[in-house]
Amino acid sequence: MCTASNYITDDHYFGRNFDYEISYNERVTITPRNYKFEFRKIDAIESHYAIIGIAAGIDSYPLYYDACNEKGLAIAGLNFAGNAVYKEFDEDMVNVTPFELIPYLLGQAGNVAEARKLLSEINLVNINFADELPLSPLHWMLSDGKEAIVVEPLEEGLKIYDNPVGVLTNNPPFDKQLFYLNNYRNLSNRNPENTFGGDIDLDEYSRGMGGIGLPGDLSSASRFAKVAFTRANSYSDSDEASSVGQFFHILGSVEQQNGCTFIDDPDLYEYTIYTSCYNTNKAILYYRTYHNSQITAVDLNREDLDSSELINYLLINEEQFNFIN
């Protein structure tokens, strides 16, 4: 279960909470322009846009959870259990496996509009990465500085939605998530007028009463509403430190604490393993982990982007304390 969002000040920011019960040794992975992308059913791509993102640390292939390319397009894949449907091979389509979708799109599309064109020809084919690593049921949010979309593999085919709120969680499908926001149309960042009725004199006894009714549980639908409200009403200065800090606060509003979401195992709980934030204009990835509250940054443009070898940085998971005496 995860939450993705974008945020725009002078630059475009995008990222997500990765919520799961098990870590797969996540790492920052930079794919330079000349790394050869091999695909299961289509020709390899030998030259492409450079990519930075967070990937599973289990293979030499970049199994990205979320990523951004040097042109400013960003993508995150989120769990979509019970709804994701992957298809059999279709000779009339471009057959891409779900784990290849992020490299395929970010390698060639510089913005959402270009990604739409590629998606119109894609068939997400049902091929596991490996026998011991079956496909995850996913849907994806794509975002640039101008627009955002959601891509969902459904029984009737690949569905693309415009995303006017810049947020995605897990279930139900995105059109239903968006519709549920109608239930919260009365919410405000200002305290409401007394419209209870009659002559009852009701007190404004606290700040924040305009948000009464905003959900605070950890379910997908509730996290969607909470982040949509938080993002829509967020305010920060437009400098990098203020923008990045505010972005982490937006996703922090639905962070999952270890122990609060029980999994069907006596020792496992879902928690926010990491939170990512991309400045897509500058191709800088910022992240925090559950065990390290300090923001760590990796700059794509400080690497040799014309090389052909992956560049990896393990996530820093130990808490960093700043003693001032």
Side-chain angles (χ1 to χ4, degrees):
M1 309 298 279
C2 303
T3 305
S5 179
N6 63 16
Y7 181 61
I8 298 173
T9 55
D10 284 350
D11 286 344
H12 169 243
Y13 299 86
F14 176 87
R16 60 97 62 82
N17 286 345
F18 180 73
D19 304 330
Y20 204 58
E21 65 271 18
I22 300 171
S23 170
Y24 288 96
N25 300 313
E26 288 77 23
R27 60 196 180 192
V28 175
T29 296
I30 293 171
T31 304
R33 299 179 185 121
N34 295 310
Y35 172 87
K36 186 177 181 180
F37 275 131
E38 299 278 2
F39 298 95
R40 299 296 174 88
K41 293 296 181 180
I42 61 173
D43 293 339
I45 299 176
E46 299 194 16
S47 181
H48 48 76
Y49 296 135
I51 300 169
I52 183 171
I54 296 184
I58 57 178
D59 192 84
S60 59
Y61 191 89
L63 294 171
Y64 282 118
Y65 300 169
D66 49 86
C68 166
N69 68 17
E70 61 182 305
K71 293 296 184 178
L73 178 63
I75 308 179
L78 282 68
N79 194 36
F80 195 41
N83 285 300
V85 178
Y86 303 135
K87 303 293 187 175
E88 297 305 311
F89 180 87
D90 185 343
E91 62 181 11
D92 295 324
M93 302 291 285
V94 177
N95 292 277
V96 176
T97 69
F99 64 83
E100 295 168 341
L101 183 65
I102 290 179
Y104 183 79
L105 293 177
L106 290 188
Q108 302 176 92
N111 52 46
V112 169
E114 293 177 5
R116 284 182 190 266
K117 294 179 181 178
L118 294 173
L119 286 163
S120 68
E121 301 177 343
I122 284 178
N123 174 47
L124 285 179
V125 64
N126 189 18
I127 299 176
N128 292 333
F129 181 77
D131 290 341
E132 66 277 11
L133 193 63
L135 294 175
S136 298
L138 299 174
H139 58 175
W140 294 264
M141 178 173 164
L142 289 73
S143 184
D144 60 24
K146 294 182 178 180
E147 61 178 323
I149 60 174
V150 171
V151 178
E152 295 188 335
L154 302 172
E155 182 64 43
E156 59 269 28
L158 205 61
K159 179 73 173 179
I160 300 175
Y161 301 95
D162 292 328
N163 186 344
V165 296
V167 177
L168 181 66
T169 56
N170 308 102
N171 284 312
F174 180 72
D175 57 341
K176 294 183 174 63
Q177 291 191 29
L178 199 59
F179 179 81
Y180 289 162
L181 290 185
N182 289 299
N183 296 333
Y184 307 106
R185 66 188 304 271
N186 62 300
L187 299 186
S188 172
N189 61 0
R190 301 174 184 271
N191 275 9
E193 297 292 328
N194 178 10
T195 59
F196 189 85
D199 297 323
I200 302 173
D201 185 16
L202 299 176
D203 290 335
E204 188 177 297
Y205 61 85
S206 173
R207 295 178 178 176
M209 294 177 71
I212 291 176
L214 182 66
D217 63 85
L218 298 175
S219 66
S220 296
S222 292
R223 283 183 284 108
F224 184 83
K226 181 69 177 293
V227 174
F229 178 83
T230 305
R231 174 193 175 280
N233 290 286
S234 277
Y235 170 80
S236 70
D237 291 333
S238 59
D239 63 278
E240 187 74 349
S242 299
S243 300
V244 171
Q246 185 68 9
F247 187 87
F248 279 102
H249 285 302
I250 290 169
L251 287 181
S253 69
V254 292
E255 178 184 287
Q256 296 207 43
Q257 292 75 35
N258 199 357
C260 293
T261 305
F262 176 75
I263 308 299
D264 291 333
D265 185 295
D267 299 319
L268 293 180
Y269 299 89
E270 184 171 281
Y271 65 102
T272 301
I273 292 175
Y274 73 81
T275 301
S276 60
C277 169
Y278 299 83
N279 179 325
T280 70
N281 298 76
K282 297 181 174 66
I284 299 173
L285 165 59
Y286 303 90
Y287 73 85
R288 297 189 314 196
T289 71
Y290 192 83
H291 298 291
N292 179 18
S293 302
Q294 183 182 69
I295 296 173
T296 302
V298 184
D299 188 339
L300 177 68
N301 293 298
R302 294 186 181 183
E303 305 292 343
D304 178 8
L305 298 185
D306 290 320
S307 73
S308 59
E309 300 296 326
L310 294 178
I311 302 160
N312 293 301
Y313 295 97
L314 292 177
L315 297 191
I316 301 172
N317 280 309
E318 297 77 28
E319 193 66 75
Q320 310 293 301
F321 295 104
N322 180 25
F323 285 93
I324 61 173
N325 66 353

